[in-house]
């Protein structure tokens, strides 16, 4: 089976055929740097990080362009309220997003262009659209896209113009049609002059949708393979991006991939819920690897239900996976990273490859990893060094596809024991009490009592391993 992805435009699972058989170009809508990143913001980065890792493992050269929107209404409004220059405000939060990506082990993009650095390209794109008869100039500084001029407008989200909501606020009286949207927005007297640029149509600043079309054009060309982003960007942002690019004569994205969002108690993660759930605050209380595990091992098109229980469960599973890797290294030595990253789809377990090729089915892939952890634990118990080495290689290689190899940066050497919740800490204390009683029974040569205590833990899904340093426990589910 070759890679199949769910194309949001056709609403079908499609076999993936890149324009270049050896390379893939991806444009991912990145951050609008108006405020600190919360866990809802980084879901998209994590989902597409797994895509990039799997494409690279499959032998493709990957060009990932992830933009930064560093000028828009919210940035201008919030910076003004705070008494800060808009550009300094945007850069502050751009750095916070970059720190969040690094902390969660997200691979850096090939390039991360800022909107403000691409005004000449935006002006050139607007002129193309005007020349093609799909845009018009309103009042000085305003340029609008004429949605009625493009036959396939609405095709991405399968909506007809008659079904679309209309902005009836009257704030843009120079629009010909209430559905038309701004390519270029006239400067306002209340806004800093540094937040506008001179154009043939008057001084102003770019519309949000235009920015991404111009930057994808510059770095990926008129046609590229995959456009990605959060589900909430499909309309109007991605619909309008596609319309602009098609109007300019570009083929634009061949496949569209959209990740679902994070929910808190069934409600979409949003700024109103996010003040206590910024990445910075979450990472003060929880190891980054558990946050990545909780957010990144759910299928990208499925909602992530975030809660303290989510992290508790992540801690339990991570303890099992990481525990095997550490014990395997202690027993037979560490396999070098180069060998771990060298395994391609043909060398990895077939079930894992099939799961990843099935629209990045990370849940099924994780089940395969668990099966190989079981095999590795059996090899350890039987002191089979050859098989232990083999399973260390496979488990770490599969985890690395998910960005979770315990011996890769930034996880190497990180301490997660007892992390994620007080529940896990309490469990560790209770199990250790039983292990102390078992050690006392063994010292007294009360073997029936020692075996009974070990069996009681096994019945609860807890395995005990004896070593020269004492007994250790792990969860077996």
């Amino acid at each position: 089976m070759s890679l199949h992805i769910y194309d949001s435009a056709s609403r079908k699972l499609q076999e993936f055929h890149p324009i270049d058989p050896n390379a893939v170009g991806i444009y991912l809508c990145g951050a609008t740097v108006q405020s600190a990143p919360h866990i809802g913001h980084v879901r998209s980065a994590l989902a597409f990080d797994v895509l990039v890792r799997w494409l690279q493992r499959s032998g493709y050269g990957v060009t990932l362009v992830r933009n930064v929107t560093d000028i828009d209404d919210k940035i201008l409004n919030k910076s003004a309220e705070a008494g800060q220059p808009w550009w300094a405000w945007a850069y502050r939060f751009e750095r916070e997003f970059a720190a969040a990506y690094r902390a969660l082990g997200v691979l850096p993009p090939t390039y991360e262009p800022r909107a403000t650095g691409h005004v000449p390209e935006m002006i050139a794109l607007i002129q193309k659209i005007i020349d093609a008869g799909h845009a018009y100039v309103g009042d000085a500084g305003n340029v609008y896209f004429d949605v009625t001029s493009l036959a396939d407008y609405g095709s991405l989200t399968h909506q007809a113009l008659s079904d679309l909501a209309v902005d009836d606020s009257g704030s843009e009286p120079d629009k010909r049609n209430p559905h038309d949207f701004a390519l270029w927005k006239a400067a306002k007297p209340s806004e800093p002059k540094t937040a506008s640029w001179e154009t043939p149509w008057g001084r102003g600043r770019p519309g949000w949708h235009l920015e991404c079309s111009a930057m994808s054009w510059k770095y990926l060309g008129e046609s590229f393979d995959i456009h990605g982003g959060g589900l909430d960007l499909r309309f109007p942002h991605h619909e309008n991006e596609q319309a602009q690019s098609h109007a300019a004569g570009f083929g634009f994205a061949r496949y569209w991939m959209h990740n679902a969002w994070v929910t808190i108690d069934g409600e979409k993660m949003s700024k109103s819920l996010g003040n206590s759930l910024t990445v910075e605050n979450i990472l003060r209380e929880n190891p980054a690897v558990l946050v990545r595990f909780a957010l990144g091992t759910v299928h990208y098109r499925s909602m992530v239900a975030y809660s303290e229980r989510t992290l508790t469960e992540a801690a339990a599973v991570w303890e099992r996976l990481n525990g095997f890797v550490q014990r395997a290294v202690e027993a037979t030595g560490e396999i070098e990273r180069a060998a771990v990253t060298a395994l391609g789809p043909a060398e990895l377990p077939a079930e894992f490859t099939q799961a990843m090729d099935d629209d990045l089915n990370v849940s099924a892939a994780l089940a395969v990893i668990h099966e190989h952890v079981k095999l590795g634990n059996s090899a350890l118990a039987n002191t089979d060094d050859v098989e232990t080495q083999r399973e260390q290689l496979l488990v770490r290689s599969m985890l690395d596809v998910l960005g979770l190899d315990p011996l890769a940066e930034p996880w190497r050497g990180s301490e997660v024991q007892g992390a994620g919740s007080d529940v896990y800490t309490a469990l560790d204390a209770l199990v250790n009490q039983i292990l102390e009683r078992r050690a006392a029974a063994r010292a007294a040569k009360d073997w029936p009592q020692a075996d009974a205590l070990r069996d009681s833990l096994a019945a609860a899904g807890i395995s005990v391993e004896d070593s020269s340093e004492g007994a250790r426990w792990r969860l077996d589910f």
Side-chain angles (χ1 to χ4, degrees):
M1 176 182 178
S2 59
L3 176 61
H4 286 66
I5 59 177
Y6 183 84
D7 173 39
S8 301
S10 64
R11 298 180 178 177
K12 293 190 298 186
L13 199 65
Q14 302 264 28
E15 186 172 5
F16 179 64
H17 295 288
I19 297 169
D20 180 334
N22 299 310
V24 178
I26 304 172
Y27 187 87
L28 175 60
C29 278
T32 297
V33 286
Q34 56 165 307
S35 57
H38 59 57
I39 56 171
H41 290 134
V42 295
R43 172 82 201 282
S44 185
L46 289 169
F48 286 92
D49 187 58
V50 173
L51 171 66
V52 169
R53 289 170 183 269
W54 184 240
L55 288 169
Q56 290 174 338
R57 281 301 185 96
S58 300
Y60 294 107
V62 179
T63 299
L64 173 66
V65 177
R66 184 183 68 207
N67 74 294
V68 175
T69 296
D70 59 344
I71 185 165
D72 82 334
D73 292 343
K74 292 178 181 178
I75 291 171
L76 294 176
N77 292 338
K78 290 185 177 183
S79 61
E81 290 171 5
Q84 297 283 330
W86 66 270
W87 44 267
W89 185 264
Y91 188 50
R92 166 191 167 185
F93 293 114
E94 180 183 337
R95 294 197 308 272
E96 290 195 19
F97 270 88
Y101 296 146
R102 286 194 302 272
L104 294 172
V106 176
L107 297 173
T110 310
Y111 193 58
E112 196 163 24
R114 298 188 185 103
T116 54
H118 296 79
V119 170
E121 290 82 4
M122 296 177 199
I123 292 173
L125 180 57
I126 291 173
Q127 191 61 61
K128 278 181 172 290
I129 298 171
I130 292 175
D131 291 345
H134 295 292
Y136 58 92
V137 180
D139 294 340
N142 285 330
V143 183
Y144 295 104
F145 187 88
D146 179 2
V147 296
T148 62
S149 70
L150 191 71
D152 73 345
Y153 186 78
S155 61
L156 175 63
T157 52
H158 300 266
Q159 299 182 89
L161 270 178
S162 57
D163 297 328
L164 298 179
V166 175
D167 177 10
D168 58 1
S169 64
S171 59
E172 297 171 306
D174 55 334
K175 288 201 301 189
R176 297 176 184 171
N177 185 311
H179 291 106
D180 294 347
F181 59 89
L183 300 175
W184 197 258
K185 304 168 75 170
K188 298 178 182 177
S190 60
E191 295 174 351
K193 189 173 182 180
T194 54
S196 61
W197 292 261
E198 290 292 347
T199 76
W201 315 286
R203 192 170 185 87
R205 56 186 171 87
W208 176 32
H209 318 303
L210 181 80
E211 297 172 353
C212 288
S213 289
M215 288 185 282
S216 64
W217 174 33
K218 177 168 183 176
Y219 296 103
L220 296 173
E222 295 183 1
S223 297
F224 56 93
D225 296 302
I226 298 172
H227 195 312
L231 190 63
D232 52 339
L233 297 179
R234 290 177 69 237
F235 188 87
H237 185 47
H238 289 165
E239 187 73 72
N240 290 351
E241 272 190 72
Q242 177 175 272
Q244 293 162 163
S245 299
H246 285 182
F250 304 159
F252 203 49
R254 300 183 72 211
Y255 302 87
W256 287 87
M257 297 178 71
H258 290 96
N259 64 276
W261 45 63
V262 178
T263 62
I264 310 294
D265 295 327
E267 185 176 348
K268 181 193 167 197
M269 180 78 215
S270 64
K271 191 59 188 171
S272 62
L273 295 171
N275 290 333
S276 63
L277 293 175
T278 62
V279 175
E280 181 181 20
N281 286 339
I282 291 291
L283 295 185
R284 285 198 189 105
E285 304 294 331
N286 303 279
V289 68
L290 299 188
V291 178
R292 167 144 193 158
F293 194 98
L295 297 177
T297 57
V298 177
H299 191 276
Y300 76 93
R301 288 192 287 118
S302 298
M303 303 294 181
V304 175
Y306 182 87
S307 67
E308 284 300 313
R309 180 179 177 182
T310 308
L311 288 176
T312 302
E313 293 171 350
V317 178
W318 178 250
E319 171 65 20
R320 181 170 187 265
L321 301 175
N322 180 51
F324 162 68
V325 171
Q326 301 301 334
R327 290 190 298 275
V329 169
E330 289 174 13
T332 63
E334 179 180 341
I335 295 172
E336 293 184 359
R337 276 283 295 164
V340 170
T341 58
L343 296 190
E347 293 81 34
L348 291 168
E351 298 85 357
F352 180 86
T353 296
Q354 290 166 8
M356 293 304 297
D357 277 344
D358 182 17
D359 195 34
L360 307 180
N361 189 343
V362 294
S363 298
L366 196 58
V368 178
I369 296 174
H370 281 297
E371 288 301 315
H372 282 269
V373 167
K374 287 182 182 178
L375 293 173
N377 283 328
S378 295
L380 280 168
N382 295 327
T383 61
D384 184 340
D385 289 355
V386 172
E387 192 62 20
T388 297
Q389 280 263 304
R390 169 179 161 74
E391 293 304 335
Q392 181 199 156
L393 175 62
L394 292 177
V395 167
R396 286 181 56 201
S397 188
M398 290 186 286
L399 283 173
D400 188 63
V401 171
L402 305 182
L404 289 166
D405 175 12
L407 301 183
E409 297 298 336
W411 319 129
R412 188 181 187 91
S414 62
E415 179 59 50
V416 301
Q417 181 71 22
S421 74
D422 293 337
V423 174
Y424 195 86
T425 303
L427 176 61
D428 183 57
L430 291 171
V431 171
N432 282 324
Q433 286 181 13
I434 296 174
L435 291 178
E436 288 172 5
R437 290 167 54 197
R438 177 174 175 268
R442 285 164 60 89
K445 297 186 178 180
D446 185 354
W447 308 119
Q449 174 66 4
D451 289 345
L453 290 168
R454 181 169 185 158
D455 291 344
S456 69
L457 291 172
I462 297 170
S463 293
V464 177
E465 294 180 353
D466 294 308
S467 71
S468 59
E469 299 176 355
R472 297 184 298 191
W473 67 274
R474 71 169 190 271
L475 294 170
D476 270 343
F477 50 85

